[in-house]
Amino acid sequence: MSLSETNSGGVAITAINGRLDGATSAEYEIRILDLLQDGRKAMVLDLAGVDYLSSAGIRVLILVFKKAAALKLPLAIARPQASVAEVLSIAGLDDILVAQPSIEAAIQAVGG
Amino acid sequence: MANSPAKATLSLSLAYATSEITRLHDAVETFLRSFVPPEKPLMHFLLALEEIAANAIHYGNAAESEAVISVEVHYSEDAISCEVVDSGAPFNPFSEATVPDLTSSLEERQVGGLGIHIAKKVLDDYSYRNEAGRNHTTLVKRLGLGS
């Protein structure tokens, strides 16, 4: 697992890489929540590098979105692979965590 | 490519620890990829297996240090199947798990039961029985056309 962050016009772009599953979710949860609470004004979670998502990973995404809402911090997800998008759809999340097709679209979605 | 055997089996024992999910995923994926299965049913099977194993780890009998979860994966040209046997309290995940909330807003969204819901959606067949005080959970993903 790995997490890397770049910045585009004040929007933090956080790239998650590897599996977002029951073994990695606890650490991703801590690290992403830390980033959210560290003064960023908007964030994009780039899922292009996530090749596998299970319910444990979905739980992290929901927690992160709830925390962002509590902080009034605009947050979007971008570029999920087809298999990851399918799991989000099975979980009934494709309507409420709308995935942006590109980083540019996601930056626009969070007002960057 | 070498001729694939008609049938093959992989047996694993897991400790009651979430870190075992990585070992399970790696071992089962390596085993199955040696037969060059189609990608989508492979991913569906790995996902369902994690959900069932994670459930067993989470609710299992971790107090017994000797306890393990046994996983037996069978590959054939028609299907990938697997049996997960654990010594936790009797629990049929397919009928007793929380029915997940799939429609509420993000603020109200709960995630209980989501893993079992996902497993049921991506599998072609599944069953449960309790035998000699152990939970036996069987998963089937077919590899034929249309899967």
Side-chain angles (χ1 to χ4, degrees), chain B residues 10-147:
Chain B
L10 173 73
S11 298
L12 284 168
S13 291
L14 307 179
Y16 284 89
T18 52
S19 58
E20 290 286 77
I21 287 174
T22 301
R23 191 167 70 87
L24 174 70
H25 189 126
D26 288 345
V28 175
E29 183 172 8
T30 300
F31 168 71
L32 291 172
R33 281 202 189 280
S34 69
F35 307 109
V36 200
E39 188 67 19
K40 194 164 178 173
L42 170 65
M43 293 305 287
H44 282 173
F45 176 80
L46 289 170
L47 180 57
L49 177 57
E50 178 193 326
E51 301 296 358
I52 297 300
N55 214 56
I57 288 169
H58 190 74
Y59 295 106
N61 196 351
E64 281 182 46
S65 59
E66 299 297 308
V68 292
I69 298 166
S70 89
V71 178
E72 200 159 273
V73 180
H74 306 280
Y75 170 86
S76 74
E77 288 177 1
D78 300 331
I80 306 166
S81 64
C82 142
E83 186 174 57
V84 177
V85 181
D86 73 84
S87 55
F91 180 72
N92 179 346
F94 305 118
S95 65
E96 296 177 56
T98 308
V99 176
D101 161 20
L102 300 178
T103 56
S104 65
S105 68
L106 183 66
E107 291 70 29
E108 294 167 349
R109 190 61 73 103
Q110 303 295 319
V111 291
L114 192 54
I116 299 301
H117 166 76
I118 290 171
K120 288 163 91 167
K121 281 280 180 187
V122 299
L123 290 169
D124 290 304
D125 205 357
Y126 48 82
S127 63
Y128 166 85
R129 70 181 198 280
N130 189 279
E131 193 177 290
R134 289 175 172 259
N135 295 303
H136 294 247
T137 310
T138 303
L139 318 177
V140 179
K141 185 67 191 177
R142 282 193 272 280
L143 296 173
L145 290 172
S147 58

